[in-house]
Amino acid sequence: MLLSLDTPRRMPAEVDLTLLWSSLILLLIGMVMVYSASIAIAEAGHFTGNHSAYFLIRHGVFLGVGLVAAAFVFQVPLSTWQQLSPWLFVAGFVLLALVLIPGVGRDVNGARRWLSFGIVNLQPSELMKLFAVLYAADYTVRKMPHMHDLKKAFLPMAGAMVVIGIMLLKEPDFGAFVVIISIAIGILFLGGMRARLFGILLVVLAAAFAVLIIASPYRRDRIFGFMDPWADALGRGYQLSHALIAFGRGEWLGVGLGASVEKLFYLPEAHTDFLLAVIAEELGFAGVVLVIVLFGLVIQRAFVIGRQAVALERLYPALVAQGIGIWIGIQSFINMGVNMGLLPTKGLTLPLMSFGGSGILANCIALAILLRVDWENRQLMRGAKL
């Protein structure tokens, strides 16, 4: 008997176990490394009560909430997400607008990216990445007959992305802007955008990013600091130089879990943006390769699930699955590139691993949706065989 798409059962036996276990291992490694990277700052911080496990406890709570949310989200059919996607996109827009209102948005280190709810801060840009996946997939499906038409297919989405981009740049959150633009353009391309139009678009985007960098002194400083961090190792190259020192100290197998020196107030944001540098120092080349392989498995399974959905003529779920793969792939690539000195310093966390409640919540929900796509694929294939 064919199971209903609205009543998933025996989830562990009916979903992609490679995707499931790769994601869970990344979450577990992230929790351990967040604790290791944050002990020193937690013990020295007045706001933490000098409690060494402060960030571990908070991260554990965020992860617990994320997993519970994922369990509920897994029950929601993709057809429901498609119906809700325009409204979720609007909700994300409203949240981004609220962040920019003085007295409403919370400033941290010169950036206004958070909404404060007492003991919890919400970062709307993290949720907007998920909403962008859902909306771009729905938009592409609706515009499928016109995907070769620049005016009908691309310009409306471009207008929406420009508005979102302006708000993100005002926070400023250039990293989230790059990720969201990549999600939207990637899904449009997968949905059938002409290669020539896609190439022209990439050139235009590259030129736009160049202008944004040239027009902003602090972005120019980051570019120059990235190109030669040792020229000003105590100034604009400080973060990158200490990240590179951490990678160098780790060598092949690391200095040992908990034995990092760079996390002792040398490397800023060790438990968030530069978590991979701490992994490299404590677990060495082997630890970094393990993390890269696990992310590679998650991304590869996302695209495989998407292709399976295409074969079943389920275009919206297919684009959602591959959009999630683009999101995790682009963000993890940028974070790793920054940590290794291959890309300019950017405030992007490592998905599934870095400390941050909004990011963990959005990542867990995205993975639950991806597993739901896979589950629905399997039910349809099973029904076809029967």
Side-chain angles (χ1 to χ4, degrees):
M1 180 178 180
L2 179 61
L3 294 176
S4 168
L5 290 183
D6 296 324
T7 57
R9 296 174 185 173
R10 299 198 314 272
M11 184 190 74
E14 298 184 355
V15 296
D16 192 312
L17 293 180
T18 301
L19 171 63
L20 180 62
W21 282 110
S22 298
S23 303
L24 290 176
I25 293 171
L26 282 171
L27 290 169
L28 179 60
I29 295 175
M31 188 170 184
V32 172
M33 294 311 303
V34 163
Y35 180 43
S36 178
S38 65
I39 291 176
I41 189 174
E43 288 181 340
H46 295 298
F47 71 96
T48 65
N50 307 112
H51 196 297
S52 62
Y54 175 82
F55 290 103
L56 171 65
I57 294 171
R58 288 179 65 87
H59 191 79
V61 171
F62 295 149
L63 183 54
V65 171
L67 292 175
V68 170
F72 280 102
V73 165
F74 182 76
Q75 310 300 318
V76 181
L78 265 294
S79 57
T80 301
W81 287 114
Q82 185 171 9
Q83 294 171 1
L84 293 175
S85 58
W87 301 106
L88 292 173
F89 191 75
V90 171
F93 174 86
V94 172
L95 290 174
L96 288 176
L98 289 175
V99 167
L100 300 176
I101 299 175
V104 178
R106 183 187 177 195
D107 289 85
V108 178
N109 297 329
R112 184 181 296 169
R113 303 175 184 173
W114 294 267
L115 295 173
S116 180
F117 296 94
I119 61 173
V120 177
N121 294 319
L122 174 68
Q123 189 172 358
S125 61
E126 292 293 339
L127 297 179
M128 195 63 197
K129 295 168 188 174
L130 173 62
F131 299 160
V133 169
L134 298 173
Y135 176 72
D138 174 58
Y139 177 88
T140 302
V141 170
R142 287 188 283 110
K143 296 290 184 177
M144 195 68 72
H146 310 290
M147 284 308 295
H148 298 303
D149 191 319
L150 174 66
K151 184 177 180 180
K152 292 182 179 180
F154 172 69
L155 291 182
M157 175 62 79
M161 290 299 108
V162 166
V163 174
I164 297 297
I166 290 173
M167 291 191 290
L168 288 171
L169 293 175
K170 283 184 174 295
E171 293 185 4
D173 194 345
F174 188 70
F177 174 55
V178 172
V179 173
I180 290 173
I181 289 294
S182 299
I183 290 169
I185 299 305
I187 289 177
L188 285 174
F189 177 71
L190 292 171
M193 179 185 288
R194 286 185 299 178
R196 181 181 177 184
L197 177 58
F198 183 72
I200 294 172
L201 181 58
L202 290 182
V203 172
V204 172
L205 284 175
F209 286 144
V211 170
L212 288 171
I213 292 169
I214 294 171
S216 173
Y218 91 92
R219 292 194 188 104
R220 288 202 308 271
D221 287 342
R222 287 193 170 187
I223 290 291
F224 292 131
F226 146 73
M227 295 173 67
D228 186 6
W230 308 108
D232 187 12
L234 297 178
R236 63 192 181 193
Y238 183 81
Q239 287 178 306
L240 180 53
S241 62
H242 281 281
L244 293 177
I245 291 171
F247 272 86
R249 291 192 75 245
E251 298 185 350
W252 291 102
L253 298 176
V255 297
L257 183 62
S260 167
V261 171
E262 286 300 316
K263 70 184 182 184
L264 304 178
F265 307 104
Y266 293 105
L267 181 62
E269 310 298 337
H271 60 303
T272 55
D273 300 350
F274 284 91
L275 185 67
L276 187 68
V278 178
I279 294 174
E281 186 177 3
E282 296 190 350
L283 304 182
F285 178 78
V288 173
V289 169
L290 174 61
V291 169
I292 292 174
V293 168
L294 289 170
F295 272 111
L297 287 173
V298 170
I299 296 162
Q300 186 261 350
R301 298 316 300 168
F303 279 90
V304 168
I305 290 169
R307 288 199 299 271
Q308 290 172 345
V310 170
L312 294 168
E313 298 183 352
R314 305 178 64 234
L315 296 183
Y316 178 75
L319 291 173
V320 168
Q322 295 178 343
I324 292 171
I326 292 172
W327 166 16
I328 295 175
I330 289 291
Q331 185 163 334
S332 59
F333 174 79
I334 292 175
N335 178 274
M336 292 177 186
V338 167
N339 276 254
M340 297 179 188
L342 301 175
L343 295 172
T345 304
K346 206 58 241 116
L348 274 177
T349 57
L350 189 58
L352 301 172
M353 299 187 74
S354 293
F355 177 81
S358 301
I360 289 293
L361 177 62
N363 294 159
C364 288
I365 291 175
L367 287 172
I369 294 174
L370 182 56
L371 288 168
R372 174 72 193 203
V373 175
D374 178 58
W375 184 87
E376 291 184 3
N377 286 348
R378 290 168 187 256
Q379 304 311 303
L380 289 173
M381 288 188 289
R382 180 179 299 174
K385 290 179 182 179
L386 293 177

